[in-house]
Amino acid sequence: MSEERPFHSQKTYQPGVVFQPDVHRNLAAGMDKLVAAIRPTLGPTPRTVAVTRLDDIRKTPEVLDSGGVIARKVIEMGLREEDMGAMLARALICTQHDRMGDGAATAAVILQAIYRGGARYLAAGGNAMRLRHYLERALATALEGLDELTAPVSGKDRLAQVAEAICHDEPLAKLLGEIFDIIGAYGQLDVRKDHSRSLRREYIEGMFWNSGLVSRDMIANQKELQTVYEEPAIVIADFQINDPRHIMPMLELAVELKVKKLMLIAGEISGDAIAGLMMANGKLKNFAVMAVRGPGMNPDDREASIEDLAVVTGAVPLLKVMGQNLKDIRRENFGGARRAWASTQSFGIIGGQGDPRKLRRHVGNLNARYEREDDKDRRDRIRARIGKLMGGSATLWIGGLSENEIEARKATAEATADAMRAAVREGVLPGGGLSFLACRDRLQPKMNGAADPDERAAYRILHGALAEPARAIYENAGYEPGEIMARLAQAGSGAGFDALSGRLVDNGGLLDGAAIQKTALKNAVQTAGMALTIDVLVHHRTPEIARDPG
């Protein structure tokens, strides 16, 4: 495996076409090589994979235990036919990791088992398209079984169990369990590096945005380096304010409305306009005003932030696209909150006075958009908006003994947080591969009753593949899978195997996120079904850029 394509290679490939049975043999070989690098990472006692560094192969290699991260590092296999199989598996693994934050290794081992079993059946004369059809039907049966096993999860201790099953880091899992018990599935969580050697968390009441005061002169509390207003009025504008004369209508209307504290949220404010605001702070009796920059790094984010702030505060924003400026301000442009605060880095709203029904509809619309969206970055931005609007915010500070340790733990915390959101939102399943083992009971009668050989083969192949996650977990922990399976069968339903302690336990003590496991199974079956219907591989010749210039 290589982390980058060997542009200096002397090897030049010519165009070619590969037919069966070489197609299945080579695709399987490529999948096997990649999955062999991912399989050791599955379970609470993962082994590690060393990957040479892209910038300098002479440096100490990266030591990784995340299937998704390892797959990202693999760009090319040596043989082109095998490379196609490896890249099919890589696409599945990376998609699972990016979308769910966990479950990449689970998806990989199920994919491998289905493809192996399917290729053997097709070599014996089975029909690829019918097998694919029946695999998808068997998948639906298995998913129904997982739905029956799914249970809601709440409480910091149970949430910590889910987190530990994902990150295998008990102190981090305990903090994440506590955090998600407070902020919920959509709550805002910032994971940041710390200079200490430990982990710590900080909770922020209400909602906040990473954009702060336009001037340090507006800081009222020099000790806390922030300004806090009780019962402030709030004005929102998306344009730049340059002329200090434009702020006078806003100030006059605020005085007329008997406003004592005012927060102005605007795109940008010039130095002269800031001076005018500071003058008002000094001259107007029983009145104070602070101004913060409108949040958002790009126009889409700024538009979204203004929309959310308007719903939360009840303010009607003044918009550049409407040709408005502060001279056009009216009574309805003033919103409010129970409290507002701002520092030079961020500002927050607590107890916004917007219409609760409008807020619920707005959150509902964002939830619907979140479920429809496939792009991870856009999903993350929508989820962050929902988190702000629902009012749960926390910061997790990650410390460590070295920069590399902090970076690795921060990445683990972020991936675990993504998986935790799905668990809180969609429930949990028995962990350690037990939920997949339990689903096999639903497949067995249909396999026994199938008259069509392709249908019977599909149920048999999936029945065997569902045991692979548990087998990999037991192998990685140093146990003989067959022996553990026999002990579980003898113990009966409700029993699980704790790979850390080596003891049989109540399966309620082993938890996995339901959405993660269902998505891993669905993606693995669909990818395997598609790969089994590939009959021909077509190769282009080596691109010119990949040839040795010498």
Side-chain angles (χ1 to χ4, degrees):
M1 290 177 292
S2 168
E3 202 176 340
E4 59 176 336
R5 293 194 181 274
F7 291 108
H8 59 282
S9 174
Q10 297 281 341
K11 194 171 186 178
T12 300
Y13 293 111
Q14 296 302 319
V17 180
V18 181
F19 297 96
Q20 295 291 12
D22 293 335
V23 171
H24 284 155
R25 185 174 65 253
N26 284 294
L27 290 181
M31 282 187 194
D32 287 347
K33 285 184 179 180
L34 184 61
V35 175
I38 307 299
R39 188 181 180 96
T41 68
L42 185 56
T45 56
R47 293 181 246 177
T48 55
V49 175
V51 181
T52 56
R53 296 182 181 274
L54 181 62
D55 54 348
D56 189 348
I57 62 173
R58 293 167 296 183
K59 289 184 178 179
T60 303
E62 294 180 90
V63 179
L64 305 172
D65 63 359
S66 166
V69 176
I70 293 165
R72 283 272 181 225
K73 302 289 183 179
V74 180
I75 305 300
E76 184 182 43
M77 290 286 180
L79 298 175
R80 287 195 301 174
E81 290 80 4
E82 294 183 1
D83 188 51
M84 285 193 174
M87 292 305 105
L88 284 171
R90 181 182 186 271
L92 163 68
I93 294 164
C94 292
T95 298
Q96 176 72 25
H97 179 76
D98 292 345
R99 183 71 184 266
M100 305 303 299
D102 193 36
T106 298
V109 298
I110 294 175
L111 167 67
Q112 181 187 40
I114 295 173
Y115 190 80
R116 279 178 174 176
R120 284 195 296 269
Y121 177 71
L122 297 182
N127 183 286
M129 292 305 298
R130 290 178 61 80
L131 179 65
R132 178 179 182 177
H133 168 73
Y134 286 121
L135 277 172
E136 291 180 354
R137 183 179 293 184
L139 167 65
T141 301
L143 290 175
E144 289 172 3
L146 292 180
D147 288 339
E148 289 183 2
L149 294 169
T150 300
V153 62
S154 61
K156 63 181 182 180
D157 292 337
R158 296 282 283 177
L159 289 168
Q161 282 181 271
V162 178
E164 190 168 0
I166 299 165
C167 67
H168 314 305
D169 181 334
E170 185 177 357
L172 177 60
K174 284 184 177 180
L175 276 187
L176 286 172
E178 177 190 305
I179 288 170
F180 279 97
D181 187 40
I182 292 173
I183 70 173
Y186 295 100
Q188 183 177 358
L189 174 63
D190 288 346
V191 182
R192 301 181 183 178
K193 294 190 291 186
D194 199 7
H195 297 298
S196 70
R197 295 185 177 184
S198 59
L199 302 169
R200 60 188 178 93
R201 76 276 188 254
E202 176 183 355
Y203 297 106
I204 301 172
E205 185 182 3
M207 56 200 75
F208 74 95
W209 287 263
N210 292 320
S211 184
L213 291 166
V214 297
S215 171
R216 295 185 66 88
D217 293 333
M218 291 184 176
I219 297 175
N221 187 330
Q222 292 297 328
K223 183 177 179 181
E224 301 291 336
L225 293 178
Q226 67 176 8
T227 297
V228 180
Y229 284 173
E230 301 290 338
E231 303 291 340
I234 296 171
V235 172
I236 305 168
D238 70 344
F239 44 77
Q240 185 169 342
I241 302 171
N242 293 320
D243 193 335
R245 292 173 297 181
H246 288 181
I247 66 175
M248 292 308 300
M250 177 187 70
L251 298 177
E252 290 170 356
L253 184 54
V255 171
E256 180 183 332
L257 296 174
K258 295 182 171 52
V259 170
K260 294 183 179 180
K261 304 289 184 182
L262 174 63
M263 171 183 273
L264 170 62
I265 303 170
E268 281 291 342
I269 303 179
S270 70
D272 289 342
I274 291 172
L277 292 172
M278 296 303 298
M279 188 178 298
N281 277 339
K283 286 190 173 183
L284 296 177
K285 188 177 181 181
N286 297 324
F287 177 80
V289 59
M290 62 174 166
V292 298
R293 296 179 183 85
M297 298 296 292
N298 57 61
D300 289 341
D301 287 346
R302 286 191 287 272
E303 181 181 347
S305 297
I306 287 173
E307 182 182 12
D308 294 343
L309 282 163
V311 172
V312 167
T313 64
V316 176
L318 294 158
L319 303 174
K320 182 178 179 180
V321 71
M322 302 294 290
Q324 296 174 319
N325 60 48
L326 282 182
K327 293 187 296 183
D328 301 308
I329 195 164
R330 299 290 184 269
R331 184 184 297 264
E332 60 266 23
N333 297 120
F334 283 79
R338 178 165 55 85
R339 183 184 305 157
W341 60 267
S343 68
T344 57
Q345 301 297 321
S346 57
F347 74 93
I349 303 290
I350 300 168
Q353 294 177 359
D355 185 334
R357 290 171 297 179
K358 288 183 179 179
L359 178 59
R360 285 195 295 271
R361 285 198 301 269
H362 185 56
V363 171
N365 291 335
L366 288 174
N367 270 318
R369 285 178 55 189
Y370 180 86
E371 295 300 330
R372 292 194 304 267
E373 184 57 66
D374 291 325
D375 182 80
K376 182 179 185 299
D377 289 338
R378 287 195 288 268
R379 279 173 62 88
D380 287 346
R381 287 197 291 272
I382 295 170
R383 191 263 310 149
R385 291 177 65 185
I386 296 171
K388 290 181 195 297
L389 293 167
M390 295 181 71
S393 301
T395 302
L396 175 61
W397 299 91
I398 305 292
L401 297 175
S402 67
E403 184 67 20
N404 287 342
E405 180 185 344
I406 293 172
E407 287 285 358
R409 210 174 191 190
K410 179 175 180 289
T412 298
E414 290 170 340
T416 305
D418 286 342
M420 289 287 290
R421 294 185 193 282
V424 175
R425 192 171 59 247
E426 301 187 40
V428 294
L429 287 166
L434 295 175
S435 57
F436 293 130
L437 292 176
C439 281
R440 302 202 305 170
D441 291 339
R442 293 182 67 92
L443 298 178
Q444 189 74 46
K446 298 204 172 189
M447 179 173 65
N448 295 339
D452 188 296
D454 294 321
E455 181 180 10
R456 189 163 54 250
Y459 280 101
R460 175 179 51 78
I461 290 166
L462 186 57
H463 184 276
L466 288 173
E468 282 305 301
R471 294 179 65 86
I473 290 171
Y474 306 151
E475 286 174 359
N476 291 338
Y479 298 98
E480 172 56 44
E483 179 185 336
I484 303 303
M485 297 281 194
R487 289 172 60 185
L488 288 173
Q490 187 175 10
S493 63
F497 180 74
D498 185 350
L500 286 173
S501 65
R503 296 195 303 268
L504 293 180
V505 296
D506 179 354
N507 64 21
L510 303 171
L511 300 174
D512 281 329
I516 295 168
Q517 302 303 304
K518 292 174 185 177
T519 303
L521 176 60
K522 181 179 178 180
N523 290 342
V525 172
Q526 291 177 343
T527 301
M530 180 269 294
L532 287 167
T533 60
I534 296 174
D535 273 343
V536 181
L537 304 179
V538 179
H539 295 301
H540 297 288
R541 67 186 178 92
T542 308
E544 292 294 332
I545 192 172
R547 292 185 179 179
D548 186 344

